[in-house]
Amino acid sequence: MSDTSEASSSSAQREVELTWRLAARRALHAPGLLPATTFILLLLVWEASCRLFEIPTFVLPAPSRILGGFDSIAVTRWVDHVWATLRVALIGYIASIAIALPIAVLLARSEIMSRAIYPILVVVQSTPVVAVAPIIIVALGSGDLPRVVITCLITFFPLVVSTTTGLMATPPELIELSRSLRAPVIREITQIRFPYAVPYIFSALRISVTLAVIGAVVAEFVAAEKGIGYFIQFSTSMFQVQQAWAGLVVLVLLSLILFQIVTLAQRIWFPWSLPKERT
Amino acid sequence: MASGVAAIRFSGVGQVFATGAGTLEALCGVETSIARHEFVAVLGPSGCGKSTLLRLVAGLLRPTRGAVEVFGLKVTEPRDDIGIVFQKPTLLPWANVEDNIVFPLRHKMGRVGAQDRERARALLAKVGLAGFEERLPAELSGGMQQRVGIGRALLMNPDILLMDEPFSALDALTREDMGFELLRIWEAQPKTVLFITHSISEAVLLADRVLVMSERPGRVIEDLAIEIDRPRGIDTSNEKMMHDYVGHLRSLLLKRAA
């Protein structure tokens, strides 16, 4: 160690090692690489175990068999089913937003309203939607309407609670500023409170959009002649398990895509509302 | 300062708040007046009702007892000729600096004209932020954010500027720098300033008069005229007079605290 040449050669070695380590770390941090690797490994293990232990398809079909399940119906039929589910989920989701935001304003503005309405909301939320679904279908018939109502019921509670919290999270100084200007209350809501609630609203929108898909599927389980939920139920009743699994995969993809669209919307239109990036 | 009617007058002001655990007497028998274009600093222990004083002038609170007058008129609601600077800058995080400055107009009137934007840019230059119009608050330092806060308060060209510990969240150097900046703005365009602070030296350095408040319920226990020549600057901090004033106020506050 006392020899200078040896010290310098070891420092060069250390430099190479450091460069390698940095490259490795950068590769690890490449977006999506880590989860993609994990996912592919999981699929391989799944496929291998199914073949190795000869697990029957009705217990757990191998990924390759599920892939085959996609071929059991034509692409146009898939599109039909997806569209039926997507339509109900989206209409229910949008209706839910349209109902939840005004209620949130009411709850945030008035203590009395909050005390009068909030317990009812909790009761509604505590009622298992799956249990109410058949009752709603009986009451409202078999069209899109009962399915939309079910989707609404399941999505709107997180929206109301989160938006209310956001509307109340405004710095009190800004409300004082608004009052000191004697500005109309409506502008206090639109120019201060709502923008401040945007991060809260978006976190609820992300949760609710996946709940909307669940709501649509639950409704289809009860009564439907189309939709992915219906397709899964129909397939299992025919003992076509790999086909049901294919439907499940489509549902997961649908939820993921909707979730990403909401996230993207926030990034494009409200970039300031995103949490600070970790550096 | 002999312009007859006082800019701000407190006569026998008492303030009692109802809290969950009963009542809280914040102010009791506050009696003082502030002349037009006077710079008055208010010093006092935490929770002595300094901010309450400011909110009474702003018309955000009504006194439980007594009356607060602004230019001879009893304050019953917020007035247009008062600007407020808060402890935190509390800017709108989604709006750029220029939009933050014109926000009071947009909020009050619902629209902002080209002339208003012109004025906002002039104000930005005045508070030392020319060229930062398009930046978002998150891209600015704490001191720069508070400059925007001051610019926003000056937008309506108020006669009275209420400042609630405006520099207390800043580091020591920035704080001193902002104090001199404020004096420069005030000297160029005189205004009546009510400046709440925790810092004795800041109060002495900036103000014409320092009011010292007692602990709760707050009242004025000392009214000290600061007769240091203006304009004041970095050298003022070293003057003997400054040290005498600071020493006097410190011993007064410490004696009360003991």
Side-chain angles (χ1 to χ4, degrees):
Chain A
M1 271 304 177
S2 57
D3 191 358
T4 46
S5 76
E6 193 186 346
S8 83
S9 88
S10 89
S11 92
Q13 210 175 335
R14 210 174 299 146
E15 202 167 305
V16 169
E17 200 176 300
L18 202 70
T19 320
W20 262 107
R21 225 181 274 167
L22 271 174
R25 184 180 296 177
R26 209 168 296 147
L28 270 179
H29 282 251
L33 184 79
L34 218 49
T37 315
T38 317
F39 185 66
I40 290 168
L41 273 175
L42 210 67
L43 282 181
L44 288 176
V45 170
W46 180 354
E47 183 77 39
S49 336
C50 283
R51 286 173 189 233
L52 204 64
F53 303 116
E54 293 177 350
I55 299 172
T57 300
F58 71 89
V59 175
L60 182 70
S64 56
R65 294 224 49 184
I66 295 172
L67 216 56
F70 282 98
D71 288 335
S72 52
I73 58 170
V75 175
T76 50
R77 297 268 299 148
W78 275 116
V79 172
D80 257 12
H81 285 309
V82 168
W83 173 240
T85 305
L86 185 64
R87 191 184 60 227
V88 168
L90 284 184
I91 296 173
Y93 182 57
I94 288 162
S96 175
I97 295 169
I99 298 167
L101 295 192
I103 289 183
V105 171
L106 218 59
L107 291 181
R109 288 279 319 160
S110 145
E111 170 95 6
I112 297 171
M113 276 304 189
S114 163
R115 271 189 295 179
I117 298 178
Y118 198 76
I120 301 174
L121 292 183
V122 174
V123 171
V124 171
Q125 171 66 10
S126 308
T127 316
V129 175
V130 185
V132 197
I135 302 174
I136 292 175
I137 301 269
V138 170
L140 297 176
S142 61
D144 266 358
L145 180 67
R147 286 174 220 148
V148 168
V149 170
I150 290 165
T151 307
C152 255
L153 275 180
I154 210 168
T155 50
F156 109 121
F157 193 72
L159 275 171
V160 170
V161 171
S162 204
T163 307
T164 309
T165 311
L167 292 173
M168 309 268 267
T170 314
E173 289 93 341
L174 277 175
I175 301 304
E176 285 195 321
L177 178 68
S178 173
R179 285 182 53 210
S180 80
L181 292 165
R182 284 175 295 144
V185 174
I186 182 74
R187 269 189 225 134
E188 177 197 307
I189 294 171
T190 58
Q191 294 186 349
I192 299 178
R193 287 192 184 270
F194 255 114
Y196 254 100
V198 161
Y200 295 82
I201 295 175
F202 264 96
S203 67
L205 283 177
R206 272 195 296 273
I207 296 168
S208 284
V209 84
T210 55
L211 286 177
V213 175
I214 294 176
V217 169
V218 164
E220 284 166 11
F221 277 175
V222 180
E225 53 292 325
K226 233 188 234 173
I228 300 293
Y230 161 80
F231 176 74
I232 289 174
Q233 214 181 27
F234 173 79
S235 302
T236 49
S237 70
M238 294 287 160
F239 226 66
Q240 296 294 324
V241 179
Q242 73 279 13
Q243 206 172 293
W245 275 81
L248 189 64
V249 171
V250 170
L251 272 184
V252 171
L253 287 177
L254 189 63
S255 284
L256 280 177
I257 290 168
L258 291 175
F259 185 92
Q260 286 304 323
I261 287 174
V262 176
T263 307
L264 202 65
Q266 182 178 17
R267 200 165 294 159
I268 291 172
W269 287 306
F270 306 95
W272 50 266
S273 72
L274 295 165
K276 300 270 172 300
E277 301 244 338
R278 271 188 291 172
T279 44
Chain B
M1 259 158 244
S3 57
V5 60
I8 304 171
R9 182 192 299 280
F10 295 91
S11 23
V13 170
Q15 187 73 44
V16 180
F17 292 112
T19 63
T23 59
L24 182 87
E25 193 173 13
L27 296 173
C28 177
V30 176
E31 196 74 59
T32 191
S33 74
I34 295 166
R36 185 152 194 256
H37 295 173
E38 199 174 17
F39 196 130
V40 174
V42 181
L43 266 179
S46 298
C48 72
K50 301 187 295 279
S51 295
T52 306
L53 221 56
L54 186 140
R55 277 163 179 77
L56 284 167
V57 178
L60 294 167
L61 278 177
R62 300 274 192 86
T64 319
R65 274 192 303 278
V68 180
E69 285 173 24
V70 170
F71 293 118
L73 287 173
K74 197 168 158 180
V75 178
T76 54
E77 61 170 354
R79 300 166 55 103
D80 286 343
D81 53 358
I82 291 180
I84 310 176
V85 181
F86 300 98
Q87 182 173 357
K88 287 178 283 175
T90 50
L91 306 176
L92 309 175
W94 56 87
N96 67 28
V97 166
E98 188 180 309
D99 287 336
N100 261 293
I101 296 247
V102 296
F103 176 71
L105 259 174
R106 195 163 77 85
H107 196 53
K108 190 175 171 63
M109 307 301 180
R111 65 197 148 74
V112 176
Q115 283 173 311
D116 303 320
R117 296 209 165 263
E118 195 86 8
R119 205 146 50 89
R121 279 192 287 274
L123 262 177
L124 271 175
K126 198 192 226 170
V127 295
L129 283 178
F132 285 88
E133 290 82 355
E134 304 289 324
R135 300 292 191 88
L136 288 177
E139 300 170 318
L140 305 182
S141 68
M144 287 158 99
Q145 288 186 26
Q146 195 54 291
R147 282 167 196 262
V148 180
I150 292 172
R152 181 176 67 186
L154 292 174
L155 178 75
M156 306 286 213
N157 196 22
D159 260 303
I160 296 174
L161 197 55
L162 303 174
M163 308 184 87
D164 191 0
E165 303 185 30
F167 307 144
S168 64
L170 305 177
D171 64 85
L173 267 176
T174 312
R175 182 173 192 157
E176 228 178 290
D177 183 43
M178 289 293 287
F180 294 130
E181 191 83 16
L182 176 64
L183 282 183
R184 201 174 50 69
I185 294 168
W186 175 71
E187 273 151 14
Q189 204 166 18
K191 296 190 183 304
T192 312
V193 180
L194 187 61
F195 188 97
I196 312 276
T197 178
H198 264 121
S199 158
I200 298 174
S201 55
E202 188 176 64
V204 173
L205 188 60
L206 301 180
D208 295 319
R209 254 168 80 206
V210 176
L211 303 177
V212 181
M213 308 260 305
S214 68
E215 59 285 349
R216 205 163 49 220
R219 66 199 158 77
V220 180
I221 52 167
E222 171 83 329
D223 185 341
L224 183 69
I226 307 294
E227 284 157 347
I228 302 174
D229 293 337
R230 293 193 188 270
R232 298 177 191 167
I234 301 159
D235 298 331
T236 314
S237 321
N238 304 321
E239 274 178 35
K240 185 178 177 305
M241 267 175 103
M242 169 101 185
H243 285 281
D244 292 345
Y245 283 125
V246 170
H248 169 75
L249 289 168
R250 178 173 292 132
S251 66
L252 181 78
L253 281 163
L254 282 176
K255 224 178 285 165
R256 301 279 311 188

